[in-house]
Every structure is written in C-alpha cells, then in structure tokens.
Amino acid sequence: VAEVRDVAFHNPAHLELLKKLGPQLVSVQGPMAGTQVGDAALAFIGKHLENLKQLKQIRLDFASQNVGDAGVAALSKSLGNLKLLEKVALDFTLTRIGDVGAAAISKSLGNWGQLAELELHFDDTDVGDGGAAAISQSIENLKQLQKIELGLEDTEVGDAGAAAVFTSLECLPELRSVALDLDGTMVTP
C-alpha cells in the first residue's frame, strides 16, 4: 500500500512513479500551486490517473488555473473509472467552469459507490442552477456519504440550485458533517 503526495504531473519522474506504484497506490495528492494548468493538462492528468484502480483517496487542487468545462469533462471521465474511491477533494475555485463542467463531475460521482467523504469547490465560477442540480442528483445516490463540503460561493446558483442541494442532502442517511457555502450566490434570503 502506497501514498503519493505533491505529485507534479508535468514531471516525467513523478509520472513514472505513479505508473510503477499503480497497483499498490491508494492515495494521490496533486497541488497545482506554482504551475499553469489548462484543459489539455487536465486530460493528461486524467489519463495518468485512470489506471490507478486501487485508489481510495484523491485530492486535486486546480484553484486559479486556466481550466474550463472541456478539461473538467476529460478529467471526470477518467476519475469515473476509479470505483474504489472513499475520499475525494477537488478544488476548481476561480476557474472557467460552468454547468457543463459540474455536470461532468456529477457523472463521476455516480461511479463512486464507496465514497464516504466528498469535498467539491466551485467558488467564483460560472456554475449555476443546472450544475448544482446535476451535482445534487448524483449526491443523493451516495447513501454511504458521511461528510460533504460543497463550495458554491460567488457562483450563479439561485434558489432552484440551492433547493436541489438541500433536497439531496436530506436523502443521505449516513451524513454526519455538512459544510455548504452559498455566500454571494443568487439565492434569495
């Protein structure tokens, strides 16, 4: 069993290590601080993660990167193949993601049948009611989910999106911890 932190996906040596440890790897953390990551890089990262079938934890921070819906869709398709994930943290704060990207993430969520902890940040993006509804629809099927942190601050989410989120959370019998940020959204007080 192995864990890799601070993976620099642009570094060939790190990618070789991921390939070598693949069967034993259970956790990957890849902060992108100090690098410039775009849509093509997300597809590249996804390609290198999709074969890590034993992966149980993943934390990827794409905050303030030049990524949009196309990159998130490519990454999400690969992440959807990781069916043993128990803990997922994805940060897309201050990116170009909208409802299409959020919907792509929601498709991956549907494949994570063992997920106990979920952290998704879409703060300061163009995610609106459609994206919130897509995420919510997938979340409500994660009956084993115990902890969720959902960042939607300064997004286009309105009353319909917020209602979808609240409804999905009510469907989770094991849920013990909720952190939901709707500050600066279109939700009426």
Side-chain angles (χ1 to χ4, degrees):
V1 176
E3 179 176 329
V4 177
R5 294 175 186 255
D6 300 326
V7 176
F9 290 97
H10 60 281
N11 182 328
H14 285 207
L15 294 176
E16 189 59 36
L17 179 63
L18 282 179
K19 194 182 297 183
K20 186 182 284 187
L21 292 176
Q24 306 108 310
L25 202 58
V26 294
S27 180
V28 171
Q29 293 187 29
M32 302 297 143
T35 62
Q36 283 301 313
V37 175
D39 288 338
L42 262 66
F44 179 81
I45 290 166
K47 178 179 173 246
H48 284 86
L49 291 175
E50 71 184 351
N51 295 320
L52 304 178
K53 303 291 187 200
Q54 300 303 313
L55 205 61
K56 294 183 188 263
Q57 298 180 37
I58 191 162
R59 174 176 290 278
L60 299 173
D61 183 351
F62 299 106
S64 301
Q65 297 297 324
N66 187 28
V67 297
D69 292 334
V72 173
L75 177 68
S76 296
K77 184 176 179 186
S78 296
L79 292 178
N81 293 323
L82 305 176
K83 301 190 186 315
L84 299 179
L85 287 172
E86 297 171 359
K87 294 182 181 180
V88 172
L90 301 172
D91 191 346
F92 296 105
T93 299
L94 287 167
T95 60
R96 298 179 291 108
I97 294 172
D99 288 341
V100 172
I105 293 287
S106 75
K107 290 179 185 174
S108 292
L109 286 172
N111 294 328
W112 299 335
Q114 298 184 34
L115 195 64
E117 296 183 20
L118 176 63
E119 184 179 325
L120 291 175
H121 287 274
F122 297 106
D123 307 290
D124 292 300
T125 64
D126 291 330
V127 172
D129 287 339
I135 293 289
S136 298
Q137 189 173 15
S138 293
I139 286 173
E140 71 183 30
N141 294 317
L142 299 173
K143 302 299 184 196
Q144 73 290 347
L145 197 64
Q146 298 171 10
K147 179 180 178 182
I148 186 168
E149 183 174 320
L150 184 57
L152 295 167
E153 180 179 1
D154 293 323
T155 61
E156 302 299 315
V157 173
D159 293 338
V165 170
F166 290 124
T167 300
S168 70
L169 297 177
E170 291 172 351
C171 297
L172 304 174
E174 301 297 320
L175 195 60
R176 302 291 179 260
S177 176
V178 175
L180 176 61
D181 190 348
L182 292 168
D183 287 344
T185 62
M186 309 300 283
V187 177
T188 55

PDB file of all heavy atoms in Angstrom, residues 116-141:
ATOM      1  N   ALA A 116     -17.153   8.035   1.085  1.00  0.00           N
ATOM      2  CA  ALA A 116     -17.588   8.429   2.426  1.00  0.00           C
ATOM      3  C   ALA A 116     -17.401   9.921   2.664  1.00  0.00           C
ATOM      4  O   ALA A 116     -18.142  10.525   3.439  1.00  0.00           O
ATOM      5  CB  ALA A 116     -16.820   7.636   3.491  1.00  0.00           C
ATOM      6  N   GLU A 117     -16.395  10.520   2.013  1.00  0.00           N
ATOM      7  CA  GLU A 117     -16.100  11.942   2.198  1.00  0.00           C
ATOM      8  C   GLU A 117     -15.912  12.618   0.844  1.00  0.00           C
ATOM      9  O   GLU A 117     -15.137  12.136   0.022  1.00  0.00           O
ATOM     10  CB  GLU A 117     -14.846  12.135   3.050  1.00  0.00           C
ATOM     11  CG  GLU A 117     -14.999  11.630   4.464  1.00  0.00           C
ATOM     12  CD  GLU A 117     -13.779  11.902   5.327  1.00  0.00           C
ATOM     13  OE1 GLU A 117     -12.967  12.792   4.984  1.00  0.00           O
ATOM     14  OE2 GLU A 117     -13.641  11.224   6.362  1.00  0.00           O
ATOM     15  N   LEU A 118     -16.619  13.739   0.672  1.00  0.00           N
ATOM     16  CA  LEU A 118     -16.569  14.476  -0.585  1.00  0.00           C
ATOM     17  C   LEU A 118     -16.368  15.952  -0.321  1.00  0.00           C
ATOM     18  O   LEU A 118     -17.074  16.551   0.485  1.00  0.00           O
ATOM     19  CB  LEU A 118     -17.876  14.274  -1.368  1.00  0.00           C
ATOM     20  CG  LEU A 118     -18.015  15.051  -2.675  1.00  0.00           C
ATOM     21  CD1 LEU A 118     -16.951  14.625  -3.682  1.00  0.00           C
ATOM     22  CD2 LEU A 118     -19.414  14.856  -3.247  1.00  0.00           C
ATOM     23  N   GLU A 119     -15.402  16.517  -1.015  1.00  0.00           N
ATOM     24  CA  GLU A 119     -15.126  17.952  -0.939  1.00  0.00           C
ATOM     25  C   GLU A 119     -15.042  18.484  -2.365  1.00  0.00           C
ATOM     26  O   GLU A 119     -14.168  18.083  -3.127  1.00  0.00           O
ATOM     27  CB  GLU A 119     -13.806  18.165  -0.193  1.00  0.00           C
ATOM     28  CG  GLU A 119     -13.443  19.587   0.050  1.00  0.00           C
ATOM     29  CD  GLU A 119     -12.127  19.708   0.821  1.00  0.00           C
ATOM     30  OE1 GLU A 119     -11.834  18.868   1.680  1.00  0.00           O
ATOM     31  OE2 GLU A 119     -11.388  20.662   0.500  1.00  0.00           O
ATOM     32  N   LEU A 120     -15.994  19.342  -2.726  1.00  0.00           N
ATOM     33  CA  LEU A 120     -16.017  19.954  -4.055  1.00  0.00           C
ATOM     34  C   LEU A 120     -16.087  21.463  -3.898  1.00  0.00           C
ATOM     35  O   LEU A 120     -16.954  21.974  -3.194  1.00  0.00           O
ATOM     36  CB  LEU A 120     -17.245  19.495  -4.851  1.00  0.00           C
ATOM     37  CG  LEU A 120     -17.308  18.056  -5.300  1.00  0.00           C
ATOM     38  CD1 LEU A 120     -18.647  17.773  -5.963  1.00  0.00           C
ATOM     39  CD2 LEU A 120     -16.176  17.741  -6.253  1.00  0.00           C
ATOM     40  N   HIS A 121     -15.192  22.164  -4.570  1.00  0.00           N
ATOM     41  CA  HIS A 121     -15.207  23.627  -4.524  1.00  0.00           C
ATOM     42  C   HIS A 121     -15.326  24.179  -5.938  1.00  0.00           C
ATOM     43  O   HIS A 121     -14.469  23.942  -6.782  1.00  0.00           O
ATOM     44  CB  HIS A 121     -13.952  24.168  -3.842  1.00  0.00           C
ATOM     45  CG  HIS A 121     -13.975  23.944  -2.370  1.00  0.00           C
ATOM     46  ND1 HIS A 121     -14.581  24.814  -1.507  1.00  0.00           N
ATOM     47  CD2 HIS A 121     -13.511  22.929  -1.619  1.00  0.00           C
ATOM     48  CE1 HIS A 121     -14.474  24.351  -0.278  1.00  0.00           C
ATOM     49  NE2 HIS A 121     -13.837  23.198  -0.322  1.00  0.00           N
ATOM     50  N   PHE A 122     -16.420  24.918  -6.147  1.00  0.00           N
ATOM     51  CA  PHE A 122     -16.690  25.604  -7.404  1.00  0.00           C
ATOM     52  C   PHE A 122     -16.794  27.108  -7.168  1.00  0.00           C
ATOM     53  O   PHE A 122     -17.399  27.823  -7.949  1.00  0.00           O
ATOM     54  CB  PHE A 122     -17.996  25.101  -8.029  1.00  0.00           C
ATOM     55  CG  PHE A 122     -17.982  23.647  -8.400  1.00  0.00           C
ATOM     56  CD1 PHE A 122     -18.675  22.724  -7.649  1.00  0.00           C
ATOM     57  CD2 PHE A 122     -17.278  23.211  -9.504  1.00  0.00           C
ATOM     58  CE1 PHE A 122     -18.681  21.379  -7.992  1.00  0.00           C
ATOM     59  CE2 PHE A 122     -17.265  21.872  -9.863  1.00  0.00           C
ATOM     60  CZ  PHE A 122     -17.971  20.952  -9.101  1.00  0.00           C
ATOM     61  N   ASP A 123     -16.245  27.600  -6.060  1.00  0.00           N
ATOM     62  CA  ASP A 123     -16.340  29.013  -5.701  1.00  0.00           C
ATOM     63  C   ASP A 123     -15.796  29.901  -6.823  1.00  0.00           C
ATOM     64  O   ASP A 123     -14.812  29.558  -7.473  1.00  0.00           O
ATOM     65  CB  ASP A 123     -15.548  29.286  -4.412  1.00  0.00           C
ATOM     66  CG  ASP A 123     -15.954  28.351  -3.278  1.00  0.00           C
ATOM     67  OD1 ASP A 123     -17.070  28.489  -2.772  1.00  0.00           O
ATOM     68  OD2 ASP A 123     -15.138  27.472  -2.934  1.00  0.00           O
ATOM     69  N   ASP A 124     -16.460  31.038  -7.024  1.00  0.00           N
ATOM     70  CA  ASP A 124     -16.028  32.017  -8.027  1.00  0.00           C
ATOM     71  C   ASP A 124     -15.937  31.419  -9.432  1.00  0.00           C
ATOM     72  O   ASP A 124     -14.975  31.648 -10.166  1.00  0.00           O
ATOM     73  CB  ASP A 124     -14.684  32.645  -7.646  1.00  0.00           C
ATOM     74  CG  ASP A 124     -14.802  33.516  -6.417  1.00  0.00           C
ATOM     75  OD1 ASP A 124     -15.572  34.482  -6.462  1.00  0.00           O
ATOM     76  OD2 ASP A 124     -14.128  33.215  -5.409  1.00  0.00           O
ATOM     77  N   THR A 125     -16.948  30.629  -9.800  1.00  0.00           N
ATOM     78  CA  THR A 125     -17.037  30.068 -11.146  1.00  0.00           C
ATOM     79  C   THR A 125     -18.398  30.441 -11.732  1.00  0.00           C
ATOM     80  O   THR A 125     -19.187  31.121 -11.090  1.00  0.00           O
ATOM     81  CB  THR A 125     -16.902  28.524 -11.130  1.00  0.00           C
ATOM     82  OG1 THR A 125     -18.013  27.981 -10.420  1.00  0.00           O
ATOM     83  CG2 THR A 125     -15.599  28.077 -10.502  1.00  0.00           C
ATOM     84  N   ASP A 126     -18.675  29.946 -12.929  1.00  0.00           N
ATOM     85  CA  ASP A 126     -19.954  30.203 -13.585  1.00  0.00           C
ATOM     86  C   ASP A 126     -20.973  29.091 -13.353  1.00  0.00           C
ATOM     87  O   ASP A 126     -21.966  28.997 -14.067  1.00  0.00           O
ATOM     88  CB  ASP A 126     -19.750  30.400 -15.088  1.00  0.00           C
ATOM     89  CG  ASP A 126     -19.011  31.692 -15.393  1.00  0.00           C
ATOM     90  OD1 ASP A 126     -19.160  32.663 -14.613  1.00  0.00           O
ATOM     91  OD2 ASP A 126     -18.283  31.738 -16.400  1.00  0.00           O
ATOM     92  N   VAL A 127     -20.733  28.245 -12.374  1.00  0.00           N
ATOM     93  CA  VAL A 127     -21.691  27.188 -12.063  1.00  0.00           C
ATOM     94  C   VAL A 127     -22.994  27.833 -11.600  1.00  0.00           C
ATOM     95  O   VAL A 127     -22.994  28.741 -10.777  1.00  0.00           O
ATOM     96  CB  VAL A 127     -21.151  26.230 -10.983  1.00  0.00           C
ATOM     97  CG1 VAL A 127     -22.225  25.251 -10.527  1.00  0.00           C
ATOM     98  CG2 VAL A 127     -19.933  25.475 -11.511  1.00  0.00           C
ATOM     99  N   GLY A 128     -24.099  27.361 -12.165  1.00  0.00           N
ATOM    100  CA  GLY A 128     -25.420  27.885 -11.821  1.00  0.00           C
ATOM    101  C   GLY A 128     -26.350  26.783 -11.369  1.00  0.00           C
ATOM    102  O   GLY A 128     -25.909  25.719 -10.929  1.00  0.00           O
ATOM    103  N   ASP A 129     -27.647  27.031 -11.515  1.00  0.00           N
ATOM    104  CA  ASP A 129     -28.649  26.075 -11.062  1.00  0.00           C
ATOM    105  C   ASP A 129     -28.511  24.717 -11.748  1.00  0.00           C
ATOM    106  O   ASP A 129     -28.682  23.671 -11.118  1.00  0.00           O
ATOM    107  CB  ASP A 129     -30.062  26.623 -11.294  1.00  0.00           C
ATOM    108  CG  ASP A 129     -30.420  27.731 -10.320  1.00  0.00           C
ATOM    109  OD1 ASP A 129     -29.789  27.822  -9.249  1.00  0.00           O
ATOM    110  OD2 ASP A 129     -31.350  28.506 -10.642  1.00  0.00           O
ATOM    111  N   GLY A 130     -28.206  24.711 -13.045  1.00  0.00           N
ATOM    112  CA  GLY A 130     -28.061  23.448 -13.773  1.00  0.00           C
ATOM    113  C   GLY A 130     -26.932  22.594 -13.226  1.00  0.00           C
ATOM    114  O   GLY A 130     -27.085  21.379 -13.046  1.00  0.00           O
ATOM    115  N   GLY A 131     -25.809  23.213 -12.950  1.00  0.00           N
ATOM    116  CA  GLY A 131     -24.663  22.483 -12.395  1.00  0.00           C
ATOM    117  C   GLY A 131     -24.935  21.997 -10.990  1.00  0.00           C
ATOM    118  O   GLY A 131     -24.608  20.857 -10.633  1.00  0.00           O
ATOM    119  N   ALA A 132     -25.555  22.856 -10.178  1.00  0.00           N
ATOM    120  CA  ALA A 132     -25.891  22.467  -8.804  1.00  0.00           C
ATOM    121  C   ALA A 132     -26.885  21.315  -8.803  1.00  0.00           C
ATOM    122  O   ALA A 132     -26.777  20.374  -8.005  1.00  0.00           O
ATOM    123  CB  ALA A 132     -26.450  23.658  -8.036  1.00  0.00           C
ATOM    124  N   ALA A 133     -27.855  21.354  -9.717  1.00  0.00           N
ATOM    125  CA  ALA A 133     -28.854  20.281  -9.800  1.00  0.00           C
ATOM    126  C   ALA A 133     -28.205  18.964 -10.230  1.00  0.00           C
ATOM    127  O   ALA A 133     -28.533  17.901  -9.690  1.00  0.00           O
ATOM    128  CB  ALA A 133     -29.959  20.672 -10.772  1.00  0.00           C
ATOM    129  N   ALA A 134     -27.282  19.019 -11.191  1.00  0.00           N
ATOM    130  CA  ALA A 134     -26.601  17.804 -11.647  1.00  0.00           C
ATOM    131  C   ALA A 134     -25.783  17.177 -10.522  1.00  0.00           C
ATOM    132  O   ALA A 134     -25.856  15.961 -10.284  1.00  0.00           O
ATOM    133  CB  ALA A 134     -25.703  18.118 -12.845  1.00  0.00           C
ATOM    134  N   ILE A 135     -25.016  18.003  -9.820  1.00  0.00           N
ATOM    135  CA  ILE A 135     -24.224  17.509  -8.683  1.00  0.00           C
ATOM    136  C   ILE A 135     -25.151  16.918  -7.626  1.00  0.00           C
ATOM    137  O   ILE A 135     -24.916  15.831  -7.090  1.00  0.00           O
ATOM    138  CB  ILE A 135     -23.360  18.646  -8.077  1.00  0.00           C
ATOM    139  CG1 ILE A 135     -22.278  19.079  -9.056  1.00  0.00           C
ATOM    140  CG2 ILE A 135     -22.773  18.244  -6.738  1.00  0.00           C
ATOM    141  CD1 ILE A 135     -21.154  18.104  -9.264  1.00  0.00           C
ATOM    142  N   SER A 136     -26.231  17.613  -7.334  1.00  0.00           N
ATOM    143  CA  SER A 136     -27.174  17.174  -6.301  1.00  0.00           C
ATOM    144  C   SER A 136     -27.810  15.840  -6.639  1.00  0.00           C
ATOM    145  O   SER A 136     -27.976  14.981  -5.767  1.00  0.00           O
ATOM    146  CB  SER A 136     -28.267  18.223  -6.099  1.00  0.00           C
ATOM    147  OG  SER A 136     -27.690  19.424  -5.646  1.00  0.00           O
ATOM    148  N   GLN A 137     -28.159  15.660  -7.887  1.00  0.00           N
ATOM    149  CA  GLN A 137     -28.787  14.412  -8.313  1.00  0.00           C
ATOM    150  C   GLN A 137     -27.854  13.225  -8.074  1.00  0.00           C
ATOM    151  O   GLN A 137     -28.296  12.160  -7.646  1.00  0.00           O
ATOM    152  CB  GLN A 137     -29.178  14.501  -9.787  1.00  0.00           C
ATOM    153  CG  GLN A 137     -30.015  13.337 -10.262  1.00  0.00           C
ATOM    154  CD  GLN A 137     -30.507  13.556 -11.688  1.00  0.00           C
ATOM    155  OE1 GLN A 137     -30.021  14.425 -12.413  1.00  0.00           O
ATOM    156  NE2 GLN A 137     -31.479  12.769 -12.095  1.00  0.00           N
ATOM    157  N   SER A 138     -26.577  13.416  -8.325  1.00  0.00           N
ATOM    158  CA  SER A 138     -25.616  12.344  -8.078  1.00  0.00           C
ATOM    159  C   SER A 138     -25.353  12.158  -6.592  1.00  0.00           C
ATOM    160  O   SER A 138     -25.216  11.026  -6.121  1.00  0.00           O
ATOM    161  CB  SER A 138     -24.306  12.631  -8.800  1.00  0.00           C
ATOM    162  OG  SER A 138     -24.499  12.580 -10.196  1.00  0.00           O
ATOM    163  N   ILE A 139     -25.275  13.253  -5.853  1.00  0.00           N
ATOM    164  CA  ILE A 139     -25.009  13.168  -4.417  1.00  0.00           C
ATOM    165  C   ILE A 139     -26.093  12.374  -3.696  1.00  0.00           C
ATOM    166  O   ILE A 139     -25.798  11.563  -2.816  1.00  0.00           O
ATOM    167  CB  ILE A 139     -24.867  14.584  -3.796  1.00  0.00           C
ATOM    168  CG1 ILE A 139     -23.529  15.203  -4.207  1.00  0.00           C
ATOM    169  CG2 ILE A 139     -24.997  14.538  -2.280  1.00  0.00           C
ATOM    170  CD1 ILE A 139     -23.367  16.644  -3.801  1.00  0.00           C
ATOM    171  N   GLU A 140     -27.331  12.565  -4.075  1.00  0.00           N
ATOM    172  CA  GLU A 140     -28.411  11.893  -3.344  1.00  0.00           C
ATOM    173  C   GLU A 140     -28.365  10.376  -3.488  1.00  0.00           C
ATOM    174  O   GLU A 140     -28.973   9.666  -2.696  1.00  0.00           O
ATOM    175  CB  GLU A 140     -29.774  12.433  -3.727  1.00  0.00           C
ATOM    176  CG  GLU A 140     -30.263  12.088  -5.089  1.00  0.00           C
ATOM    177  CD  GLU A 140     -31.600  12.744  -5.408  1.00  0.00           C
ATOM    178  OE1 GLU A 140     -31.895  13.842  -4.894  1.00  0.00           O
ATOM    179  OE2 GLU A 140     -32.350  12.145  -6.180  1.00  0.00           O
ATOM    180  N   ASN A 141     -27.611   9.872  -4.439  1.00  0.00           N
ATOM    181  CA  ASN A 141     -27.462   8.425  -4.597  1.00  0.00           C
ATOM    182  C   ASN A 141     -26.276   7.853  -3.826  1.00  0.00           C
ATOM    183  O   ASN A 141     -26.066   6.641  -3.825  1.00  0.00           O
ATOM    184  CB  ASN A 141     -27.327   8.071  -6.078  1.00  0.00           C
ATOM    185  CG  ASN A 141     -28.603   8.387  -6.829  1.00  0.00           C
ATOM    186  OD1 ASN A 141     -29.698   8.106  -6.365  1.00  0.00           O
ATOM    187  ND2 ASN A 141     -28.456   9.006  -7.987  1.00  0.00           N
TER     188      ASN A 141
END
